[in-house]
Amino acid sequence: MINGFEVLSPGLYTTLQDLGRFGFEDCGVPPSGAMDEMSFAIANALVGNDPATGALEFTLTGATLRLTGSQPCSFAVTGDVAMTLDGVAVAPYRRLTLLPGNQLRITRTLSGARGYLAVAGGFDVKPVMGSVSTLMRAGLGGFNGRQLQKGDWLPLTPAPHRTILDTGEPEQRLMPQRERRPIRVIAGPQDDHFDAQALREFLSNEYRVSEQSDRMGYRLSGPPIAHSKGFNIVSDAISRGSIQIPGNGQPIVAMNDRQTTGGYPKIATVVRADLARLGQAKPGDRLRFETVSVDKAELLWAGRQALLDAWLNKVRLAAQPA
């Protein structure tokens, strides 16, 4: 009998995501994928999966799932979350085992917006355009192109059981939901549409993540930023982390499910090393920005990735045959 999860409660917004669907932005299809790739990667490593294996991404509140089938299932949850296994509190960042009939309840995030549930072997879902990531506004990928619903059944891919020694919680720098410093950005590509005073205000102001924020983008609220050359440009490409300033002067930060082109000037772009932290922002959070050079941004990413790779290698070395 094939193992699967029965969805008893779907949580606020739970979708299947992987590393993303790349190569189709010229067709208007954004990459989607995990909003916090660090927590996603750690979840897959803890259960011995390939780094690109799809996992469930949940927002603020997680799902309640019952394992059906005849075999035990190894799983791991990452993120700063509260959860129970058959009513008993269990910790994230651990490889745990579900037996048939067991219920996993992911109650809520304690800090940050998102967490990840990976299962050994992954979910048995057919990729769409090379990815299982869910893009809801196009109905692509995941489970029927949508978020989970009560009564869904999520088939699992069979996987050999392996014991992985407890490596403990990662260090703080690998938990972006706990970071509190400013978001680092590179100026531009249309920073010339703003005068020196507007740029100073952008970097000195504090912004609130509004309730009109989701996987497509974050609308920020704060003191408006004035344009010096108008707020319309010839539409060009938008990347993850692009910060547009529309006519009302309130920044919009493009995220994973973004539109692929846009016609508002982009005052700055979030550096890659801070995208995972940005992916953990939730409505009501307050953000500040600081500029860095391109060289500094590359060093930040290389350092962050080296730290993550070292921890992932530690997990892999802890894997032992059953």
Side-chain angles (χ1 to χ4, degrees), residues 181-200:
R181 51 174 173 69
I183 299 289
R184 292 164 291 195
V185 300
I186 297 168
Q190 285 96 30
D191 52 311
D192 60 342
H193 279 61
F194 307 89
D195 62 23
Q197 177 63 25
L199 291 169
R200 282 194 298 269

Side-chain angles (χ1 to χ4, degrees), residues 3 33 52-53 56 64 121 124 130 156 192 218 221 253-254 279 288 302 312 318:
N3 273 20
T53 303
L56 292 181
T64 300
D124 189 8
L156 306 181
D192 60 342
Y218 297 164
S221 59
V253 187
R288 288 183 179 274
L312 295 179

Side-chain angles (χ1 to χ4, degrees), residues 122-270:
F123 294 89
D124 189 8
V125 173
K126 184 178 180 180
V128 176
M129 301 166 72
S131 170
V132 300
S133 284
T134 307
L135 176 60
M136 275 191 53
R137 60 191 174 92
L140 289 178
F143 300 100
N144 299 315
R146 57 168 171 76
Q147 67 193 80
L148 297 192
Q149 296 178 359
K150 182 178 180 179
D152 282 346
W153 185 73
L154 316 179
L156 306 181
T157 302
H161 180 72
R162 291 191 301 168
T163 299
I164 294 184
L165 302 178
D166 187 1
T167 52
E169 189 175 90
E171 63 175 279
Q172 294 290 317
R173 286 183 295 169
L174 293 177
M175 301 179 73
Q177 65 272 24
R178 296 184 181 177
E179 296 180 14
R180 294 295 179 266
R181 51 174 173 69
I183 299 289
R184 292 164 291 195
V185 300
I186 297 168
Q190 285 96 30
D191 52 311
D192 60 342
H193 279 61
F194 307 89
D195 62 23
Q197 177 63 25
L199 291 169
R200 282 194 298 269
E201 290 177 354
F202 170 71
L203 295 172
S204 62
N205 291 339
E206 183 179 73
Y207 294 94
R208 179 181 176 274
V209 180
S210 78
E211 284 70 25
Q212 288 74 49
S213 299
D214 55 22
R215 285 181 47 89
M216 184 175 180
Y218 297 164
R219 289 185 177 271
L220 307 183
S221 59
I225 301 299
H227 304 79
S228 62
K229 297 183 180 179
F231 61 86
N232 287 312
I233 63 170
V234 176
S235 291
D236 65 359
I238 295 177
S239 64
R240 181 181 173 201
S242 291
I243 304 175
Q244 297 177 287
I245 307 294
N248 65 4
Q250 300 294 313
I252 302 172
V253 187
M255 297 302 291
N256 298 47
D257 291 353
R258 63 192 176 273
Q259 64 198 58
T260 58
T261 63
Y264 297 132
K266 295 173 282 294
I267 194 170
T269 305
V270 177

